[in-house]
Amino acid sequence: REIASEELERRNGEMAESLADLKSKYVDALRGMKKAYTKAGKIELAIAIASEIEAYGAEGDLAENGAPRTLAQLPEDLQSGLTAWFPLDEDGVVEVKDLAKRGMVGQLSGTLYTPDGVIGGARKFRGQGDRIALGHEIPDSPRFSVSVWVKYTGMAGKGGIFSDYDNKFANDVMLALVSAQEVHLRADKGGDKLRTEAILSEPLTQGWHHLVWIVDSRETVLYLDGEEAVRHEGEGSNRGFHGAYLGFANDGKTWSYFEGEIDEFMMWERALNEEEIVAIRQLSGL
């Protein structure tokens, strides 16, 4: 009887795994058909397929507020040129996953999980060595964009948000808070000279704030909570020597670890437009 029970349990487990795999493949096929019919203007068919997807509960991998949690759920425009997307939703792990096609892995050095992120969970940085190493897979790009949500609770010297740098040659990309109301931007790789500090219109001291940093061929622009906050002329790029981190950067004065929380880090190898910045904020329900 014990042997029979064990065998039955094993077979039931195998069947459950097989059914789950079959369901996943079926839903993936449905999503592909939905996208194709929508693009072809066959809206009624697309709606019917969306109903079938919903019937299978396939949207269960969305966040509670309906925000995308897989690359396929992300709006197509935002998938274009997407280099990295770290939702930072994982708890009880030593590394966090990148949902972009490149599939990087973020190695955790310190940091704590918090369930109260902008979307799902987030990572808490304590300003004393906590950081996430994103590896060396970020590609060369003459233009790039970074989107990140931050809840800043630090003081001067504890505002490093993102860096992609080489310690030997000092070719750097840096996004850091000098203080609650001053930001440091640097992108001087490949002979470029982009480096500036700017005062924000208000301090980042209350709750979550959304930063989007865009480096184009002749200027850099920083958006704060959907509004243009900084515009600076000067060529910048992210070409050559990659060693990227979240929660760690030079703020123009010293190497700085972030104190506060970081969520939903995204990066593109192109310059986003204003409509796409709006679309990013809409992912969080704003």
Side-chain angles (χ1 to χ4, degrees):
R1 184 179 298 171
E2 289 178 0
I3 293 173
S5 296
E6 290 176 0
E7 180 65 13
L8 183 60
E9 184 176 351
R10 183 186 68 80
R11 293 190 180 188
N12 284 339
E14 289 179 350
M15 183 177 294
E17 290 180 4
S18 178
L19 287 173
D21 182 60
L22 182 61
K23 176 182 175 180
S24 177
K25 291 178 179 178
Y26 175 56
V27 169
D28 285 345
L30 287 174
R31 283 179 173 151
M33 292 171 64
K34 176 185 171 184
K35 186 181 296 185
Y37 282 134
T38 301
K39 187 175 292 187
K42 299 180 179 180
I43 304 303
E44 290 185 1
L45 286 172
I47 292 174
I49 291 173
S51 298
E52 178 71 357
I53 293 173
E54 184 176 355
Y56 266 76
E59 302 303 334
D61 50 1
L62 292 169
E64 289 183 1
N65 67 345
R69 297 291 84 186
T70 68
L71 184 62
Q73 294 166 345
L74 202 65
E76 287 189 26
D77 289 349
L78 296 181
Q79 292 183 37
S80 175
L82 184 66
T83 299
W85 174 20
F86 285 89
L88 304 178
D89 290 336
E90 300 95 328
D91 186 13
V93 297
V94 296
E95 58 186 30
V96 289
K97 294 182 179 179
D98 167 28
L99 299 187
K101 290 182 179 179
R102 193 168 296 273
M104 293 189 289
V105 174
Q107 298 290 337
L108 301 179
S109 295
T111 78
L112 300 172
Y113 172 79
T114 172
D116 300 321
V118 175
I119 305 173
R123 301 303 302 189
K124 182 177 293 186
F125 298 75
R126 292 164 292 184
Q128 298 179 358
D130 288 1
R131 64 183 184 180
I132 302 175
L134 304 187
H136 300 268
E137 296 90 344
I138 289 180
D140 283 357
S141 51
R143 301 173 179 82
F144 66 89
S145 302
V146 169
S147 168
V148 63
W149 286 87
V150 297
K151 182 189 284 188
Y152 182 57
T153 57
M155 302 169 63
K158 294 187 177 181
I161 298 172
F162 170 68
S163 59
D164 188 5
Y165 75 99
D166 176 77
N167 194 40
K168 182 178 179 180
F169 296 99
N171 294 312
D172 302 328
V173 166
M174 302 287 175
L175 170 60
L177 296 176
V178 182
S179 67
Q181 202 166 351
E182 186 176 3
V183 65
H184 173 75
L185 303 172
R186 177 175 176 179
D188 59 359
K189 292 187 176 184
D192 295 319
K193 304 297 182 182
L194 176 58
R195 188 169 181 174
T196 186
E197 283 80 34
I199 302 299
L200 302 173
S201 59
E202 59 185 55
L204 306 185
T205 53
Q206 299 295 325
W208 287 99
H209 293 277
H210 185 216
L211 298 174
V212 178
W213 179 30
I214 297 172
V215 176
D216 211 335
S217 58
R218 297 188 179 278
E219 65 179 2
T220 188
V221 185
L222 181 74
Y223 289 83
L224 171 61
D225 296 331
E227 301 292 333
E228 183 180 314
V230 176
R231 183 176 292 269
H232 177 78
E233 292 186 2
E235 295 184 9
S237 72
N238 190 26
R239 293 178 289 193
F241 306 111
H242 300 290
Y245 294 90
L246 286 181
F248 178 63
N250 194 295
D251 64 5
K253 297 176 176 61
T254 183
W255 287 101
S256 168
Y257 290 93
F258 190 76
E259 187 169 14
E261 298 171 25
I262 293 178
D263 197 11
E264 297 294 322
F265 174 81
M266 306 177 82
M267 186 173 186
W268 292 261
E269 49 187 339
R270 63 182 181 88
L272 298 175
N273 58 44
E274 291 187 0
E275 290 78 12
E276 289 168 329
I277 293 170
V278 171
I280 295 170
R281 287 181 58 76
Q282 289 175 341
L283 298 180
S284 63
L286 297 177

